[in-house]
């Protein structure tokens, strides 16, 4: 037995090589293409064209406004909600946590379509209801979803759960002793919160703000559905419009470079802000945090949580159910008007339904498994500084965040439509795209989980003679089990939702559900969209519930 | 007098020598017309499947597929529906990478067929019905494609939101300030129908008309199949453009949609189909192409889809205005083929998206 042979180096080298191929190849092609002129020579003409053209500068400004607003809104909503759920005796906290996670299952573009049904200025159900109640004249609208504000609202609805999960998980892991000590020393509840809880949670909140910012920056589906009818572009929809015939990938590539630079700067800023403090909050043994008593505020707290949940969850799903069983989405279904027409159409007539379902779930399972494993390895290498140049790995794993999915799609398209790896037209190119796109979030999740596990536990294992991989398998992995399962679920869900790269990379044989829904949206077939979305959410929920059961099962691994 | 009638008259008056007036120069004699023979059916069944890229409204596309599958059991037909301009981009992308998924293609932008023909992407194939009955205006002289569908791109309005006497009668009427914020319109960057219509309207009304329309706070959607649906939902009161067949079908189902054929004339939209040269299922493709041009299939397009047909043996629907009674604008697919990019750029300048 080569029990003591440390396999870590070859494994780490392989991971580094894989990452390089996955990320450097498409990004490299993008950079090359962005710097290539029409004559094939090196030029900055694409960038000059970009920054002197108002049809680029306007979307850039719009996108920054959206990203900042979304980031702020998400933190304002997610932080109190995360705190209520993790640290107080608010009733139904577990249910509320599950429901926020569930809202993440909704693809943002489906959410946008549902909010169209709710808040389109004339036909929106909420506007109709308000007209009925208040006698508002038919031409006026309470909500207009086809507006910048409407778009920011809808993006926030489906972005704040990311921040919420980060915050709630961080607060879960925070040792109760620190707060206990503070109370014992005479601090009031709110003082403890201000002096202990908030500073400890702040790095996570900053990370959350960053995630929200980048999500909003790179989102394609919601703007495509809401901004185009409103008559403006965001950067992603503008880039997408460059792939209309004749495609102009050189301009699209150039347009993605400012995003890349911006993201790198943000990540540097985050690292500097967090760099000086140590945040290993899960060491050997700590007590569970003590819930804070809300007293009479328990009722209002639940009401607030439910109100927040109505935005991404209750209202949109009510609208989707309504339109799934209605002939016209803008009419409330009654016992006399209810119809199975859309269900029949989707499953019996629509010839793309079954192939798309099959492709989607195959890809989601493969991406989640591969992605979680890869992210685990990278997070470990970076957190434990296991190889020289680990920072490069961390950077590479985060880099895809900076590239809009649609541009990454083009990069992959450029990279994999030529020998030796002509993968376009196969499911492999989509698998690579999905793993690459989800890697940053998966890596960040597992990375922050690693930061919370004190290396002393691993060091003990190493000192007792175990190899690095064995320590990882026997000590670190079990401690991170829930984080790994959560990451798997996260990638699974995210893959199902992914639209922006898929919309570039699919062919008719490799169509996925999100693209099918997008095509249906283009022609306004909202009934079928509602049926497909609900089906998708139902299946996803089953898969996640199964994964969580796996999680809950007592550990059976032999020591 | 309408364009189609004119062409029918030309056909009636002329001999086969008149062929060649359509769009592209004749290079060689078209292939012999093909009948649907038992051998073709057998070969198609052996392939067992094929895919059809189209931009026709999805519900209609799937009905066509079901009808074909019922007629020739054992052949599965996959409908790939997307906006014609998006399909065009994708087919080009797939073709460049030597991926041949598409067997039969149908586009609402007739210019696409010209481009594909120039690029030698189409297979010569003339169904018997096309050779025998279709007017020259609706078939390629080299036998590469023929008009599978014909429709118009009219104005329409929601009858609950607009009274008949207040409804717009012309394109000029759409510029009335009373329609500010009430118009929905599809996009030439995504829809072949709208690309075709935009070329005709910009030629006949001039671009300043579009510039003024853009100032009406128009709701911009993508596919020409969507504006009629937005009308039916009551989201907007008037549609500036969209597929006549979708609006007519909604109206027939009792939705509050009424079509207006503008006094300036209504854009004519021809949607040709072709078999791809690299079709992975060439026999199934040919069988479908042949069947789709028969009187039976063309009448189905009219009856369940409210389309128009180039097949002279079909009959118009009673609930739709007679095709020959409608004043139409002249379609110029060859101009669209050359100017599509300029048209899109000009459009984006005014409408911002």
């Amino acid at each position: 037995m080569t029990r003591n042979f440390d396999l870590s180096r070859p494994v780490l080298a392989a991971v580094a090589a894989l990452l390089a191929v996955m990320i450097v190849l498409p990004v490299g092609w993008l950079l090359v293409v962005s710097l290539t002129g029409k004559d094939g020579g090196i030029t900055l003409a694409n960038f000059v064209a970009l920054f002197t053209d108002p049809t680029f500068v306007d979307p850039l400004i719009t996108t920054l406004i959206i990203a900042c607003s979304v980031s702020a809104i998400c933190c304002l909503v997610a932080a109190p909600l995360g705190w209520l759920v993790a640290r107080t005796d608010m009733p139904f906290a577990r249910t509320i946590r599950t429901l926020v996670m569930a809202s993440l299952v909704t693809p943002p573009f489906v959410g946008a379509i549902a909010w169209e049904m709710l808040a389109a200025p004339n036909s929106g159900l909420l506007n109709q209801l308000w007209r009925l109640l208040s006698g508002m004249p038919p031409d006026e609208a309470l909500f207009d979803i086809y507006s910048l504000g409407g778009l920011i609202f809808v993006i926030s609805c489906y972005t704040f759960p990311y921040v919420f999960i980060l915050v709630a998980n961080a607060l879960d892991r925070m040792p109760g002793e620190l707060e206990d000590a503070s109370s014992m020393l005479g601090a009031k509840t709110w003082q403890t919160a201000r002096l202990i809880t908030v500073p400890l949670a702040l790095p996570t909140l900053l990370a959350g703000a960053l995630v929200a910012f980048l999500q909003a920056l790179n989102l394609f589906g919601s703007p495509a559905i809401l901004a185009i009818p409103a008559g403006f572009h965001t950067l992603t929809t503008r880039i997408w419009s460059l792939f209309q015939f004749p495609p102009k990938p050189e301009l699209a590539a150039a347009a993605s470079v400012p995003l890349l630079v911006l993201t790198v700067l943000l990540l540097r800023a985050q690292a500097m802000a967090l760099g000086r403090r140590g945040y290993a909050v899960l060491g050997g043994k700590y007590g569970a945090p003590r819930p804070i008593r809300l007293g009479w505020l328990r009722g209002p707290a639940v009401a607030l949580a439910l109100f927040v949940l109505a935005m991404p969850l209750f209202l949109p799903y009510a609208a989707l159910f309504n339109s799934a069983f209605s002939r016209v989405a803008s009419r409330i279904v009654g016992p006399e008007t209810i119809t199975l027409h859309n269900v029949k159409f989707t499953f019996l007539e629509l010839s793309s339904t079954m192939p798309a379902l099959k492709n989607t779930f195959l890809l989601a399972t493969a991406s989640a498994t591969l992605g979680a494993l890869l992210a685990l390895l990278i997070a470990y290498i970076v957190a434990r500084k296991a190889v020289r140049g680990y920072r490069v790995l961390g950077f590479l794993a985060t880099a895809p965040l900076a590239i809009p999915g649609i541009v990454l799609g083009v990069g992959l398209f450029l990279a994999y439509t030529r020998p030796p790896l002509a993968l376009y037209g196969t499911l492999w190119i989509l698998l690579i795209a999905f793993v690459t796109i989800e890697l940053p979030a998966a890596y960040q999740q597992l990375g922050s989980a690693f930061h919370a596990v004190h290396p002393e536990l691993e060091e003990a294992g190493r000192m007792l003679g175990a190899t690095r991989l064995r320590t990882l398998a026997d000590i670190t992995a079990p401690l991170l089990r829930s984080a790994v399962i959560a990451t798997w679920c996260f990638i699974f869900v995210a893959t199902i939702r992914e639209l922006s790269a898929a919309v570039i990379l699919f062919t008719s044989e490799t169509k996925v559900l999100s693209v099918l829904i997008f095509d249906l949206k283009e022609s306004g077939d909202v009934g079928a969209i509602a049926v497909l979305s609900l089906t998708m959410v139902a299946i996803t929920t089953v898969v996640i519930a199964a994964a969580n059961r796996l999680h809950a099962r007592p550990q059976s691994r032999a020591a | 007098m309408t364009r189609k009638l004119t062409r029918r008259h030309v056909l009636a008056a002329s001999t086969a020598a008149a062929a060649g007036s359509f769009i592209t120069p004749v290079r060689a004699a078209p292939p012999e017309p093909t009948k649907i023979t038992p051998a073709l059916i057998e070969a198609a069944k052996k392939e067992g499947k094929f895919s059809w890229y189209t931009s026709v409204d999805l519900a209609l596309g799937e009905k066509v597929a079901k009808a074909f599958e019922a007629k020739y059991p054992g052949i599965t037909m996959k409908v790939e529906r997307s906006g014609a301009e998006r399909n065009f981009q994708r087919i080009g992308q797939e073709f460049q990478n030597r991926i041949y998924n598409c067997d039969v293609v149908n586009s609402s932008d007739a210019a696409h067929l010209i481009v594909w023909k120039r690029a030698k992407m189409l297979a010569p194939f003339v169904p018997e019905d096309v050779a025998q009955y279709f007017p020259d205006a609706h078939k390629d002289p080299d036998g590469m494609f023929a008009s599978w569908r014909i429709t118009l791109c009219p104005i329409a309005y929601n009858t609950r939101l607009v009274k008949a006497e207040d409804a717009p009668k012309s394109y000029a009427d759409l510029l009335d300030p009373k329609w500010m914020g009430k118009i929905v319109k599809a996009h030439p960057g995504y829809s072949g129908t709208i690309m075709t219509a935009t070329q005709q309207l910009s030629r006949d009304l001039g671009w300043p008309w579009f510039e003024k329309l853009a100032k009406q706070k128009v709701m911009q959607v993508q596919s020409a199949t969507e504006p009629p649906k937005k009308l039916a939902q009551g989201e907007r009161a008037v549609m500036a453009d969209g597929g006549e067949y979708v609006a007519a079908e909604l109206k027939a189902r009792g939705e509050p949609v009424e079509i207006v054929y503008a006094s300036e004339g209504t854009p004519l939209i021809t949607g040709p189909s072709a078999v791809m040269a690299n079709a992975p299922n060439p026999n199934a493709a040919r069988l479908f192409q042949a069947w789709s041009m028969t009187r039976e299939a063309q009448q189905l397009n009219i009856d369940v889809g409210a389309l128009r047909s180039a097949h002279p043996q079909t009959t118009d629907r009673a609930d739709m205005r007679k095709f020959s009674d409608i004043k139409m604008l002249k379609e110029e697919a060859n101009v669209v083929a050359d100017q599509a990019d300029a048209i899109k750029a000009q459009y984006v300048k005014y409408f911002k998206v």
Side-chain angles (χ1 to χ4, degrees):
Chain A
M1 285 284 278
T2 55
R3 208 179 142 252
N4 285 321
F5 176 68
D6 196 338
L7 270 172
S8 55
R9 293 218 164 253
V11 168
L12 302 181
V15 172
L18 184 64
L19 271 191
V21 171
M22 271 171 62
I23 293 150
V24 175
L25 209 58
V27 174
W29 272 111
L30 274 177
L31 289 178
V32 168
V33 170
S34 74
L35 290 169
T36 306
K38 288 200 173 65
D39 55 354
I42 292 177
T43 174
L44 287 175
N46 296 323
F47 291 94
V48 175
L50 211 64
F51 286 104
T52 50
D53 183 353
T55 67
F56 272 107
V57 177
D58 292 351
L60 180 64
I61 294 167
T62 311
T63 305
L64 289 176
I65 294 172
I66 292 172
C68 290
S69 316
V70 167
S71 184
I73 292 171
C74 286
C75 287
L76 284 176
V77 174
L81 200 62
W83 179 77
L84 280 174
V85 164
R87 303 312 292 267
T88 72
D89 62 347
M90 181 177 71
F92 310 114
R94 269 197 77 83
T95 315
I96 286 165
R97 185 183 287 227
T98 313
L99 287 173
V100 178
M101 308 276 270
S103 72
L104 211 54
V105 171
T106 318
F109 56 93
V110 170
I113 294 168
W115 268 101
E116 256 191 307
M117 297 165 187
L118 287 164
N122 299 301
S123 59
L125 299 173
L126 292 177
N127 281 317
Q128 290 188 52
L129 186 71
W130 183 249
R131 258 176 227 125
L132 208 67
L133 293 176
S134 72
M136 180 174 69
D139 281 344
E140 285 172 33
L142 184 62
F143 305 106
D144 182 359
I145 205 72
Y146 303 118
S147 63
L148 186 60
L151 180 58
I152 289 172
F153 168 78
V154 170
I155 296 178
S156 302
C157 279
Y158 297 97
T159 307
F160 92 87
Y162 292 101
V163 188
F164 170 87
I165 291 168
L166 285 173
V167 171
N169 286 348
L171 291 173
D172 281 344
R173 287 197 302 264
M174 201 180 284
E177 275 79 356
L178 295 174
E179 287 174 342
D180 288 350
S182 165
S183 337
M184 273 184 256
L185 291 170
K188 296 207 173 64
T189 307
W190 304 113
Q191 256 175 318
T192 303
R194 188 167 61 83
L195 294 171
I196 308 289
T197 321
V198 170
L200 278 176
L202 206 58
T204 316
L205 196 59
L206 270 176
L210 185 74
V211 168
F213 187 91
L214 294 171
Q215 282 279 336
L217 205 62
N218 295 342
L219 200 60
F220 165 70
S222 312
I225 283 153
L226 297 175
I228 291 174
F232 66 90
H233 268 301
T234 65
L235 214 47
T236 49
T237 61
R238 184 72 183 92
I239 289 169
W240 181 58
S241 75
L242 289 172
F243 297 119
Q244 288 172 22
F245 192 84
K248 303 177 190 72
E250 69 286 353
L251 283 181
S256 71
V257 173
L259 291 184
L260 189 69
V261 172
L262 188 65
T263 309
V264 171
L265 288 178
L266 281 169
L267 292 172
R268 284 296 306 155
Q270 190 203 21
M272 276 167 68
L274 303 185
R276 273 171 280 122
R277 303 179 203 168
Y279 283 97
V281 286
L282 184 71
K285 283 181 186 168
Y286 279 123
R290 190 185 304 270
I292 289 163
R293 292 181 182 284
L294 289 174
W296 64 272
L297 282 170
R298 293 177 82 212
V302 172
L304 177 76
L306 291 179
F307 176 75
V308 170
L309 276 170
M311 305 300 156
L313 211 58
F314 304 144
L315 287 172
Y317 279 94
L320 284 175
F321 267 105
N322 184 64
S323 104
F325 298 104
S326 162
R327 275 209 175 250
V328 177
S330 60
R331 269 166 239 153
I332 299 270
V333 152
E336 277 151 38
T337 54
I338 192 160
T339 167
L340 285 177
H341 168 82
N342 295 320
V343 180
K344 277 191 205 140
F345 174 75
T346 308
F347 288 106
L348 301 179
E349 289 174 34
L350 189 56
S351 48
S352 311
T353 303
M354 285 308 157
L357 276 173
K358 206 182 106 211
N359 286 340
T360 304
F361 285 95
L362 195 67
L363 278 169
T365 310
S367 307
T369 309
L370 219 63
L373 281 175
L374 197 58
L376 185 67
L377 270 172
I378 299 167
Y380 172 77
I381 294 168
V382 174
R384 298 295 177 254
K385 305 180 172 59
V387 285
R388 206 173 297 170
Y390 65 91
R391 280 203 184 83
V392 176
L393 278 194
F395 171 76
L396 281 179
T398 325
L401 211 54
I403 314 161
I406 197 155
V407 176
L408 186 67
V410 180
L412 289 168
F413 179 81
L414 294 171
Y416 295 115
T417 45
R418 57 191 84 219
L421 285 171
L423 297 178
Y424 177 60
T426 67
L427 287 175
W428 291 105
I429 194 168
L430 288 165
L431 179 67
I432 294 175
F434 294 153
V435 171
T436 312
I437 289 170
E438 303 315 336
L439 191 60
Y443 162 70
Q444 285 199 337
Q445 278 191 356
L446 289 174
S448 72
F450 263 111
H451 276 296
V453 177
H454 202 284
E456 70 193 12
L457 301 171
E458 286 166 24
E459 280 155 12
R462 294 294 303 273
M463 267 187 273
L464 291 171
T467 63
R468 180 163 263 157
L469 281 184
R470 192 176 169 86
T471 319
L472 189 62
D474 286 355
I475 295 179
T476 322
L479 283 173
L480 292 172
R481 229 170 95 99
S482 69
V484 170
I485 291 174
T487 304
W488 190 93
C489 290
F490 176 88
I491 303 177
F492 183 89
V493 170
T495 301
I496 289 179
R497 300 154 36 122
E498 214 291 326
L499 171 68
S500 51
V503 90
I504 297 283
L505 296 174
F506 82 101
T507 59
S508 61
E509 294 303 310
T510 55
K511 201 180 239 187
V512 290
L513 214 46
S514 57
V515 175
L516 177 59
I517 291 177
F518 193 68
D519 282 352
L520 289 170
K521 169 61 198 155
E522 187 198 82
S523 51
D525 293 300
V526 282
I529 291 174
V531 173
L532 279 177
S533 306
L534 293 172
T535 310
M536 180 163 131
V537 169
I539 301 176
T540 314
T541 310
V542 169
V543 171
I544 291 177
N548 278 327
R549 277 183 72 88
L550 206 75
H551 175 200
R553 202 189 301 156
Q555 202 164 332
S556 56
R557 173 207 284 272
Chain B
M1 192 176 272
T2 70
R3 179 171 177 248
K4 189 180 167 193
L5 258 190
T6 310
R7 284 188 170 153
R8 273 187 187 168
H9 285 167
V10 169
L11 180 74
S14 63
T15 60
S21 60
F22 189 44
I23 304 170
T24 46
V26 185
R27 293 203 185 87
E32 284 299 305
T34 306
K35 280 187 187 155
I36 298 177
T37 58
L40 179 61
I41 298 172
E42 213 37 57
K45 282 191 177 162
K46 211 164 268 173
E47 289 163 357
K49 63 173 171 38
F50 73 102
S51 65
W52 180 46
Y53 283 40
T54 182
S55 57
V56 81
D57 189 52
L58 185 64
L60 173 57
E62 296 290 1
K63 277 178 194 152
V64 169
K66 288 287 165 288
F68 178 76
E69 287 173 352
K71 176 98 183 175
Y72 301 104
I75 307 173
T76 312
M77 177 169 170
K78 192 147 141 243
V79 180
E80 280 288 311
R81 196 227 94 92
S82 189
E85 305 301 322
R86 285 188 63 206
N87 271 345
F88 182 65
Q89 195 271 337
R90 261 184 59 213
I91 288 173
Q93 186 169 301
E94 295 184 3
F95 186 81
Q96 274 178 1
N97 290 287
R98 298 194 182 84
I99 292 169
Y100 309 116
N101 287 333
C102 176
D103 290 294
V104 182
V105 67
N106 163 249
S107 180
S108 54
D109 184 342
H112 293 163
L113 281 293
I114 300 174
V115 176
W116 288 324
K117 182 182 168 183
R118 282 180 195 156
K120 301 194 172 15
M121 288 163 68
L122 305 180
F125 178 71
V126 180
E128 191 187 22
D129 280 72
V130 171
Q132 223 175 334
Y133 303 112
F134 276 41
D136 286 347
H138 289 288
K139 57 186 174 197
D140 175 50
D142 296 327
M144 298 289 183
F145 52 86
S147 301
W148 174 70
R149 59 162 158 148
I150 299 170
T151 190
L152 299 163
C153 182
I155 298 172
Y157 63 95
N158 179 308
T159 53
R160 284 199 200 135
L161 300 172
V162 181
K163 282 186 229 134
E165 59 267 31
D166 298 333
K169 309 279 183 289
S170 65
Y171 287 104
D173 285 353
L174 292 178
L175 303 180
D176 190 315
K178 74 175 176 180
W179 302 123
M180 175 74 79
K182 296 185 179 173
I183 299 175
V184 59
K185 179 178 188 327
H187 197 292
Y190 309 92
S191 160
T193 300
I194 305 303
M195 170 54 80
T196 309
T198 305
Q199 186 264 329
Q200 297 175 37
L201 290 172
S202 63
R203 177 197 63 209
D204 293 0
L205 306 176
W207 279 108
W209 179 80
F210 282 94
E211 192 177 2
K212 288 175 202 146
L213 185 69
K215 296 196 174 118
Q216 291 280 59
K217 280 183 68 185
V218 170
M219 176 182 187
Q220 182 73 66
V221 296
Q222 296 175 20
S223 169
T225 62
E226 187 164 11
K229 295 170 193 172
K230 288 283 180 220
L231 281 193
Q233 288 170 19
E235 180 46 46
R236 287 294 186 272
V238 176
M239 80 175 195
D241 54 26
E244 181 205 34
Y245 66 110
V246 182
E249 255 310 291
L250 286 168
K251 184 185 162 191
R253 272 180 17 204
E255 300 297 340
V257 174
E258 188 55 67
I259 297 171
V260 175
Y261 300 99
S263 57
E264 295 96 334
T266 298
L268 171 70
I269 316 294
T270 302
S273 281
V275 173
M276 298 301 281
N278 292 300
N281 305 291
N283 293 301
R286 281 167 175 77
L287 178 62
F288 174 74
Q289 177 78 347
W291 171 82
S292 74
M293 301 294 177
T294 59
R295 197 201 66 79
E296 170 198 355
Q298 289 286 310
Q299 192 63 49
L300 180 83
N301 285 355
I302 296 172
D303 294 343
V304 306
L307 283 170
R308 313 286 187 167
S309 171
H311 201 304
Q313 292 180 345
T314 55
T315 47
D316 275 358
R317 265 160 71 143
D319 63 341
M320 287 171 70
R321 187 179 298 188
K322 262 190 82 153
F323 196 56
S324 53
D325 292 345
I326 300 167
K327 180 180 171 187
M328 279 176 260
L329 302 180
K330 186 173 164 1
E331 190 182 25
E332 296 177 309
N334 50 339
V335 177
V336 176
D338 294 331
Q339 296 184 355
D341 292 341
I343 290 171
K344 266 186 259 181
Q346 194 75 15
Y347 189 89
V348 170
K349 210 176 118 193
Y350 298 138
F351 288 87
K352 304 290 177 215
V353 285

